[in-house]
């Protein structure tokens, strides 16, 4: 395909309602918002616009369903999660087409996201069945054990990039742990969330266990954050919004898991396998249209190989296939929304003033309309440049040189963010030193963001609060209570006895 006309999936809804208490629910006042595709930027559907009334109703439904869901054994809940995974996989192609149409992600990458969503449910079903609880013996006098109980109604607020997979990343552990849920999908990309009611009903999830309220963040999202019946919130999104949620949730002292922004460094030493590092950099910053929190958007290259690596990176960026999301050959599709597209273009304009543009920076000539940008590479980027410091969240990468290991670490840490980092070197001792010194929640050495679902996921500094993944997710969605039991006679110091 060489034109920007979208390939429209079959079965698109004209209207996306809320789903509350197992029923489709229109907005209480009939308000809706347009849902547009990022290729034509024209509406193809309307979604119900929720606010406090819908959130109240959804929280009430989740609260009513909580005792029954929490009372199920871990094994019983796991069986339902396995069936959910099967139902997701059965709709694999439809999900991928919906996701690609709604977000602009290339269809080949959207298919991978659909498979990952199913794996999330199977994985957390396995985790909750295998998870044990702690016990402690204090000699022969006392025995203590931990009781883990579901925390209650969980509020889930998800982003517009890879929405279905990230919804599954929160839904699966929340349900496995025994929580009921109110989900607020991103308003720019609600399409794939419209499939959850059918999937969850088919899997046997009881009515009210999962509730979905659509709407803009300032109304539906804020109402969920403010609701006193929601004791914990899991949010993925921007750092600016995350800070606002932290402030708002302080009134009710809510438990928070916040996966926020990133400006992740890729540190390439001169002794690295440059071909492998180049493959990792190109994929890591340009896949998913560059709209990924862990993108290696700052590439720091040791000076002896800096010019060569920058030249080869620019050449590769120019060859990346930009095209319609529905084309299987497309590697970078359309950015999600005109507002976001304009924001990314503004950063490109800023970068032209701050650094040396060596690739991209313009709309591809064969795509006259739609939110398209040729993958963009800036070289010689100063540490105080906006494109070095701020999250762009698009197919744009900043490249800078360093002279030694100490400078590499300093530059890697020279932003407010600390989500991910990547280190490329053949000196494994140096790789470990740098990995330990970089301020980030996750580091990959000679690897391109291959994740093990058992490992903790999250960042430091402005990249978030808390960790999810594996048992860490179950910890978030549960409360732990320690029970102490005396095994023998109790000898307590006696106060106030008779003289």
């Amino acid at each position: 395909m060489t034109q920007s006309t979208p390939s429209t999936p079959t079965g698109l809804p004209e209207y996306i309602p809320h789903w509350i208490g197992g029923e489709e629910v229109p907005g209480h006042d009939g308000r809706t918002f347009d849902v547009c595709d990022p290729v034509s930027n024209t509406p193809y559907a309307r979604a119900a616009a929720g606010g406090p009334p819908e959130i109240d109703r959804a929280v009430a439904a989740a609260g009513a369903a909580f005792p029954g869901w929490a009372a199920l054994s871990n094994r019983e809940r796991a069986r339902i999660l396995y069936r959910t995974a099967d139902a997701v996989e059965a709709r694999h192609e439809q999900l991928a087409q919906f996701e690609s149409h709604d977000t602009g992600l290339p269809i080949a990458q959207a298919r991978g996201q659909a498979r990952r969503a199913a794996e999330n449910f199977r994985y957390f079903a396995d985790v909750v069945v295998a998870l044990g609880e702690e016990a402690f013996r204090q000699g022969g006098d006392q025995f203590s054990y931990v009781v883990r109980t579901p925390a209650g109604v969980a509020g889930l607020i998800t982003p517009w990039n890879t929405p279905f997979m990230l919804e599954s990343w929160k839904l699966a552990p929340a349900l496995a742990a025994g929580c009921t849920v109110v989900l607020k999908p991103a308003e720019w990309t609600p399409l794939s969330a419209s499939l959850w009611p059918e999937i969850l009903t088919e899997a046997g999830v009881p009515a009210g266990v999962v509730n979905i309220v659509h709407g803009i963040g300032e109304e539906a999202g804020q109402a969920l954050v403010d609701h006193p019946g929601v004791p914990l919130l899991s949010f993925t999104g921007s750092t600016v919004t995350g800070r606002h949620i932290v402030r708002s949730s302080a009134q009710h002292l809510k438990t928070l898991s916040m996966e926020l922004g990133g400006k992740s460094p890729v540190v390439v030493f001169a002794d690295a396998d440059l071909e492998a590092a180049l493959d990792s950099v190109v994929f890591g910053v340009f896949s998913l249209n560059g709209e990924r929190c862990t993108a290696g958007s700052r590439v720091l290259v040791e000076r002896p190989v800096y010019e060569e690596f920058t030249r080869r990176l620019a050449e590769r960026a120019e060859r990346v296939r930009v095209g319609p999301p529905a084309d299987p050959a497309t590697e970078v599709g359309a950015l999600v929304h005109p507002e976001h597209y304009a924001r990314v273009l503004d950063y490109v304009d800023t970068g032209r003033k701050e650094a040396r543009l060596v690739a991209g920076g313009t709309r591809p000539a064969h795509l006259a309309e739609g939110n398209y940008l040729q993958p963009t590479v800036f070289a010689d980027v100063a540490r105080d440049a906006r494109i070095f410091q701020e999250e762009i969240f698009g197919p744009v990468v900043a490249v800078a040189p360093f002279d030694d290991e100490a400078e590499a670490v300093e530059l890697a840490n020279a932003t407010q963010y600390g989500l991910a980092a990547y280190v490329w070197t053949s000196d494994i001792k140096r790789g470990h030193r740098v990995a330990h010194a970089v301020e980030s929640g996750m580091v990959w050495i000679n690897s391109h963001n291959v994740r093990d679902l058992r490992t903790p996921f999250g960042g430091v500094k402005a990249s978030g609060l808390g960790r999810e993944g594996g048992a860490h997710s179950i910890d978030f969605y549960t409360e732990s209570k320690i029970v102490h039991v005396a095994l023998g006679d109790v000898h307590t110091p006696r106060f106030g006895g008779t003289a």
Side-chain angles (χ1 to χ4, degrees):
M1 295 184 185
T2 58
Q3 57 179 348
S4 60
T5 302
S7 176
T8 303
T10 60
L12 289 178
E14 295 181 359
Y15 176 68
I16 302 173
H18 310 300
W19 193 53
I20 300 173
E23 298 178 348
E24 292 187 350
V25 176
H28 79 285
D29 56 4
R31 289 188 306 137
T32 63
F33 58 92
D34 288 336
V35 184
C36 302
D37 75 82
V39 172
S40 69
N41 288 319
T42 57
Y44 67 86
R46 294 174 300 112
E54 289 80 11
I55 292 294
D56 282 342
R57 182 171 173 178
V59 173
F66 175 70
W69 183 249
L72 294 180
S73 70
N74 289 346
R75 175 66 70 184
E76 289 173 301
R77 288 197 298 272
R79 290 191 184 102
I80 294 174
L81 265 63
Y82 293 137
R83 294 199 296 266
T84 302
D86 292 341
V88 168
E89 281 193 335
R91 293 162 178 80
H92 166 259
E93 186 60 27
Q94 182 187 28
L95 278 168
Q97 290 185 17
F98 274 26
E99 199 84 313
S100 177
H101 183 74
D102 202 28
T103 67
L105 291 179
I107 184 64
Q109 295 167 41
R111 289 185 177 117
Q113 297 300 311
R115 287 190 292 270
R116 176 65 173 273
E119 178 59 22
N120 283 336
F121 279 94
R122 290 201 179 95
Y123 172 74
F124 282 107
D126 292 341
V127 167
V128 78
V129 169
L131 193 64
E133 292 173 334
E134 296 174 292
F136 309 88
R137 180 181 291 274
Q138 292 143 285
D141 298 328
Q142 187 156 291
F143 179 76
S144 306
Y145 63 93
V146 175
V147 176
R148 189 193 299 269
T149 57
V153 177
L156 312 181
I157 303 176
T158 52
W160 46 257
N161 63 319
T162 63
F164 191 86
M165 191 281 290
L166 288 173
E167 288 156 8
S168 75
W169 173 243
K170 298 181 187 296
L171 282 169
L175 296 179
C179 289
T180 53
V181 164
V182 178
L183 168 66
K184 209 298 281 185
E187 58 264 34
W188 283 353
T189 55
L191 178 59
S192 58
S194 70
L195 295 176
W196 281 120
E198 181 181 284
I199 289 169
L200 296 170
T201 300
E202 181 179 306
V205 176
V209 170
V210 176
N211 306 274
I212 302 172
V213 176
H214 297 282
I216 65 172
E218 293 81 354
E219 295 180 3
Q222 188 66 55
L224 185 56
V225 170
D226 292 340
H227 202 289
V230 180
L232 71 168
L233 292 164
S234 178
F235 169 77
T236 299
S238 74
T239 297
V240 171
T241 304
R243 289 190 174 110
H244 174 78
I245 290 174
V246 171
R247 288 191 295 268
S248 296
S249 63
Q251 178 182 357
H252 298 294
L253 296 176
K254 296 182 186 246
T255 302
L256 301 176
S257 177
M258 314 290 285
E259 197 262 284
L260 307 178
K263 192 71 176 177
S264 301
V266 184
V267 181
V268 181
F269 287 94
D271 65 349
D273 181 337
L274 295 186
E275 190 66 25
L278 186 65
D279 286 343
S280 179
V281 168
V282 173
F283 181 83
V285 74
F286 298 139
S287 63
L288 304 181
N289 298 347
E291 297 165 333
R292 59 188 306 165
C293 56
T294 56
S297 55
R298 291 183 299 136
V299 179
L300 312 175
V301 185
E302 195 167 14
R303 199 173 296 275
V305 296
Y306 174 74
E307 291 297 338
E308 176 194 355
F309 193 90
T310 302
R311 174 183 57 78
R312 294 173 64 186
L313 174 57
E315 291 170 353
R316 287 282 296 274
E318 293 286 2
R319 294 199 299 269
V320 169
R321 293 187 290 272
V322 183
D327 186 345
T330 291
E331 294 172 323
V332 170
L335 300 188
V336 67
H337 190 276
E339 288 181 24
H340 181 63
Y341 183 52
R343 178 179 178 276
V344 173
L345 292 181
D346 182 66
Y347 274 111
V348 171
D349 289 341
T350 298
R352 293 176 190 275
K353 303 167 189 173
E354 295 181 323
R356 176 166 58 101
L357 178 67
V358 295
T362 60
R363 172 189 293 278
H366 65 287
L367 296 165
E369 59 184 34
N371 307 328
Y372 293 105
L373 175 65
Q374 186 68 35
T376 299
V377 181
F378 287 102
D380 309 338
V381 182
R383 60 181 291 160
D384 60 348
R386 285 185 61 201
I387 61 170
F388 188 92
Q389 291 291 333
E390 299 176 20
E391 184 178 41
I392 299 173
F393 220 63
V396 181
V397 63
V399 190
F402 67 86
D403 289 308
D404 55 30
E405 183 179 319
E407 186 182 14
V409 171
E410 181 195 14
L411 287 172
N413 292 338
T415 74
Q416 66 173 320
Y417 297 105
L419 185 58
Y422 309 85
V423 182
W424 287 88
T425 178
S426 63
D427 182 343
I428 195 62
K429 292 181 180 179
R430 176 166 58 189
H432 283 289
R433 285 196 306 269
V434 174
H436 293 183
V438 170
E439 298 166 349
S440 66
M442 301 171 287
V443 183
W444 282 265
I445 301 174
N446 298 331
S447 176
H448 70 281
N449 201 338
V450 176
R451 279 206 60 234
D452 185 324
L453 291 177
R454 296 171 295 181
T455 60
F457 183 98
V460 300
K461 301 194 291 189
S463 287
L465 300 171
R467 295 292 182 272
E468 297 187 30
H472 299 274
S473 291
I474 305 301
D475 287 341
F476 174 70
Y477 290 107
T478 56
E479 298 286 359
S480 293
K481 178 189 299 182
I482 184 72
V483 179
H484 302 284
V485 183
L487 299 179
D489 295 336
V490 178
H491 302 286
T492 306
R494 193 171 192 190
F495 280 24
T498 57

